[in-house]
Amino acid sequence: MFILSSSSSSLPSPLSLSSSRVSLSPPSSSSLTLLPLSPHFQPPNLACSCSVASRSTAELLHDFKHSAHTAASADETRNHLPHSRAFLDVRSEQELLSYIRREAEAGRLPSNVAAGMEELYQNYKNAVLKSGNPKADEIVLSNMTVALDRILLDVEEPFVFSPHHKAVREPFDYYTFGQNYVRPLIDFENSFVGNPFLFKDIEEKLHQGHNVVLISNHQTEADPAIISLLLEKTSPYIAENMIYVAGDRVIVDPLCKPFSIGRNLICVYSKKHMFDIPELAETKRKANTRSLKEMALLLRGGSQLIWIAPSGGRDRLDPSSGEWSPAPFDASSMDNMRRLIQHSGVPGHLCPLALLCYDIMPPPSKVEIEIGEKRVISFNGVGLSLAPAISFEAIAATHRNPDEAREAYSKALFDSVSMQYNVLKAAIYGRQALRASTADVSLSQPWI
């Protein structure tokens, strides 16, 4: 599974907002991307329904099959071949693998995508089986047939993301599909949420028109689904309405895209991949500026909840220590995000969020240029913790030098994330469970 590999970017500066328009000077090292909508894409009805999130994959599959004739007819009116839905009729692992190979042999699936689909199936199967769920085989086949159907559909007619992508919930509910796919990978008995009452406070602020930005570390492509799954019982509004700043790789990789389609995104080019193809660097910078404007306009409207990873990518295993820990934040990205909030014209808050979930789907040991990384999938406990907003003004008051103030603010947010992360690590990997709670981080398991 592959939901957002959300990568923060260095945002253009300086930024100035007027009452009538957003004005930006040319970016220096920005990394936001903006892709046009497909001419065949029709904006869905995006009204959120918390009850939808609890629907099973089987129910989604039934609804989708029921609408298949209508969808096929629409395709035919556009002179497109109707999408093959053979994956949805698969009844065994043998049939599923055989169909992947037949599609590849017929030239309808690129060989590398077909190989990735097979690898994905095997790794997902092994992870879910390790959960001990008595219905593991049924869950694997049900979730994988839908996942592979969505991947094949996108190979046949690639979905193109807009700068501000809104989760597609109709006629196929991509959000619920992603939730159902990741849920069996989480060991909820060994998972924890820190300070859940603060999420309630955030929701109240959002309903009052405030903006909230969650400054977070980033560990896996599944981060958005994991966050939503840990919050779906107590904070479903937050789970469904969060906007993720997402790197370009998860909106172009065919194995990632169906999961990304189910999330609210601001699509960007990551700094880490800005010069993968040097001649495209300037185009990427301009695209990032357009996405920044989109974000600024959203914030001016208020009631926005945005998740961003100022590290610019996923945390990586430290080869010297053999430990996972949050990657350092980029102070310039932090400062640009702060200024966006400051100039939005409505109250705003930057809150440190810690996420521990690397075992679910660890990233490659090094940043890769090529699309199509190997996905390792596991069943494991995960953790999420939130701390109160940190005031820039309070920190800046103790620093005369503006650059020092920006660095100190970034460090304060990073230190909070690291502190919360260590509490989660003690609870999950130190087997301390709820006893790992501290004066600053109160752990709970709201699903129990």
Side-chain angles (χ1 to χ4, degrees):
M1 136 327 69
F2 325 87
I3 315 186
L4 293 287
S5 175
S6 298
S7 298
S8 161
S9 57
S10 175
L11 305 179
S13 62
L15 167 70
S16 63
L17 298 175
S18 68
S19 60
S20 60
R21 62 189 180 93
V22 179
S23 175
L24 290 164
S25 66
S28 56
S29 60
S30 65
S31 73
L32 284 138
T33 183
L34 194 138
L35 300 171
L37 280 172
S38 163
H40 303 305
F41 177 72
Q42 296 298 317
N45 180 350
L46 296 170
C48 282
S49 170
C50 297
S51 62
V52 173
S54 63
R55 295 167 63 209
S56 68
T57 299
E59 291 173 314
L60 289 176
L61 185 56
H62 176 270
D63 289 350
F64 181 57
K65 283 186 173 181
H66 186 265
S67 64
H69 295 299
T70 301
S73 298
D75 282 346
E76 288 168 351
T77 62
R78 296 194 302 262
N79 295 320
H80 288 177
L81 291 175
H83 167 51
S84 171
R85 294 183 172 84
F87 275 123
L88 301 183
D89 296 321
V90 162
R91 294 293 177 266
S92 69
E93 174 182 301
Q94 183 178 4
E95 286 183 27
L96 182 146
L97 296 176
S98 176
Y99 185 67
I100 293 174
R101 292 160 190 164
R102 287 202 307 271
E103 289 295 292
E105 290 169 0
R108 289 185 290 269
L109 267 179
S111 59
N112 63 325
V113 175
M117 291 167 82
E118 286 201 45
E119 179 183 77
L120 172 61
Y121 173 80
Q122 296 295 349
N123 290 346
Y124 185 75
K125 170 188 170 183
N126 292 338
V128 177
L129 288 175
K130 288 180 181 177
S131 71
N133 191 315
K135 295 184 177 181
D137 287 323
E138 176 184 334
I139 291 169
V140 170
L141 191 63
S142 175
N143 286 345
M144 282 304 308
T145 53
V146 178
L148 297 180
D149 171 79
R150 297 288 93 188
I151 293 169
L152 177 60
L153 172 62
D154 193 72
V155 169
E156 294 173 344
E157 186 173 348
F159 183 90
V160 182
F161 289 82
S162 63
H164 172 213
H165 167 75
K166 296 181 181 180
V168 174
R169 307 296 299 263
E170 295 179 356
F172 180 83
D173 191 339
Y174 281 89
Y175 172 85
T176 302
F177 151 68
Q179 296 298 96
N180 289 342
Y181 190 93
V182 177
R183 186 177 286 108
L185 301 176
I186 296 179
D187 178 3
F188 283 96
E189 291 185 1
N190 193 35
S191 296
F192 305 91
V193 175
N195 302 330
F197 60 91
L198 289 177
F199 289 100
K200 292 294 184 184
D201 181 60
I202 282 180
E203 188 168 335
E204 290 178 6
K205 284 182 169 57
L206 293 172
H207 289 312
Q208 293 167 5
H210 296 205
N211 292 316
V212 178
V213 175
L214 302 180
I215 303 298
S216 176
N217 67 312
H218 173 33
Q219 296 211 311
T220 78
E221 291 176 327
D223 285 2
I226 291 168
I227 292 170
S228 294
L229 286 164
L230 293 180
L231 297 177
E232 67 179 356
K233 295 292 185 183
T234 55
S235 302
Y237 179 85
I238 289 178
E240 296 192 38
N241 288 279
M242 194 178 301
I243 301 172
Y244 297 86
V245 178
D248 58 295
R249 298 172 75 80
V250 296
I251 62 173
V252 296
D253 189 323
L255 297 183
C256 298
K257 289 178 67 177
F259 301 96
S260 300
I261 292 171
R263 299 289 153 180
N264 301 309
L265 308 177
I266 295 291
C267 300
V268 306
Y269 283 107
S270 169
K271 286 172 64 176
K272 292 184 177 180
H273 297 284
M274 184 62 63
F275 295 98
D276 286 354
I277 303 176
E279 56 269 30
L280 294 180
E282 185 59 27
T283 299
K284 291 180 179 180
R285 289 194 186 104
K286 290 178 179 178
N288 282 351
T289 300
R290 295 195 297 270
S291 284
L292 175 60
K293 289 182 178 180
E294 188 77 25
M295 188 188 299
L297 290 172
L298 284 172
L299 292 170
R300 283 183 58 197
S303 298
Q304 301 300 317
L305 176 61
I306 296 177
W307 179 98
I308 186 168
S311 62
R314 289 169 287 180
D315 304 334
R316 308 275 169 167
L317 182 68
D318 184 340
S320 60
S321 66
E323 296 285 337
W324 292 82
S325 58
F329 290 171
D330 179 80
S332 63
S333 293
M334 275 293 317
D335 191 58
N336 283 319
M337 197 70 240
R338 178 188 65 79
R339 288 188 296 142
L340 276 173
I341 287 287
Q342 179 183 346
H343 291 287
S344 67
V346 299
H349 314 272
L350 276 74
C351 303
L353 180 82
L355 183 63
L356 193 160
C357 59
Y358 58 82
D359 267 329
I360 295 291
M361 189 184 301
S365 58
K366 297 179 180 179
V367 177
E368 297 182 349
I369 295 178
E370 294 78 14
I371 296 293
E373 67 186 54
K374 179 181 177 64
R375 270 84 184 188
V376 178
I377 306 175
S378 300
F379 173 78
N380 211 80
V382 298
L384 180 71
S385 181
L386 180 67
I390 296 178
S391 167
F392 174 77
E393 287 73 19
I395 291 177
T398 63
H399 294 81
R400 292 185 178 181
N401 186 301
D403 291 334
E404 290 179 0
R406 287 191 289 269
E407 292 288 344
Y409 186 61
S410 179
K411 183 178 185 300
L413 284 157
F414 178 77
D415 287 347
S416 177
V417 169
S418 297
M419 177 274 293
Q420 295 177 81
Y421 184 88
N422 288 333
V423 173
L424 294 171
K425 185 163 66 172
I428 298 169
Y429 291 97
R431 297 296 175 182
Q432 296 181 32
L434 297 175
R435 299 188 306 278
S437 295
T438 67
D440 296 314
V441 180
S442 176
L443 297 176
S444 70
Q445 294 179 303
W447 44 86
I448 293 178

